[in-house]
Amino acid sequence: MKWRYSLRWKRPCPCPGEPELASEVVEAGKPAPESVMSLWVAGAGYAVCVDFLYDRPVRRWTDERKAATRRRNLARRVNRIAPLFADELIGRELTARPDYYRGKSHR
């Protein structure tokens, strides 16, 4: 596994220059490299950031699994808030957003 250290703009106001001044990939557990730390100035708006780089690809859920989880969470939420009207409210939500509860992504 590798880590990526970078010096990035982190203030909420617009960045006056480059959003990322420096970056370097190192072995996991190593301290921030001198090439990044030498550019860092306290209070200047840039922060030393670390990203954890993984070799494994991200595993995505299937549409069926997403759909089952979304319906289960909906039922839990509605039964906790309004158990007397749960069937009606769940039915309304399923008809209002059918693609979402079939597991389709909104992207």
Side-chain angles (χ1 to χ4, degrees):
M1 187 162 76
K2 304 257 186 195
W3 289 2
R4 178 179 174 264
Y5 285 99
S6 60
L7 192 61
R8 294 185 226 161
W9 182 256
K10 287 296 178 182
R11 285 206 176 144
C13 56
C15 180
E18 292 293 320
E20 186 175 291
L21 293 181
S23 73
E24 189 172 329
V25 176
V26 298
E27 291 297 319
K30 300 280 184 182
E34 188 60 33
S35 61
V36 173
M37 293 307 294
S38 64
L39 298 174
W40 179 73
V41 176
Y46 286 92
V48 177
C49 303
V50 63
D51 299 313
F52 305 103
L53 307 177
Y54 294 102
D55 296 334
R56 293 179 289 163
V58 175
R59 289 181 20 189
R60 301 287 178 194
W61 283 17
T62 63
D63 286 348
E64 294 80 20
R65 185 171 176 189
K66 281 191 281 187
T69 301
R70 289 172 179 173
R71 285 192 299 267
R72 185 183 68 239
N73 290 342
L74 172 65
R76 283 183 186 164
R77 198 168 43 248
V78 171
N79 280 313
R80 184 180 64 240
I81 296 169
L84 185 60
F85 304 106
D87 293 336
E88 180 182 344
L89 294 173
I90 291 171
R92 283 184 189 177
E93 186 65 21
L94 291 174
T95 56
R97 300 171 62 192
D99 287 341
Y100 179 78
Y101 288 104
R102 272 190 251 136
K104 303 298 179 196
S105 296
H106 55 277
R107 294 182 208 179

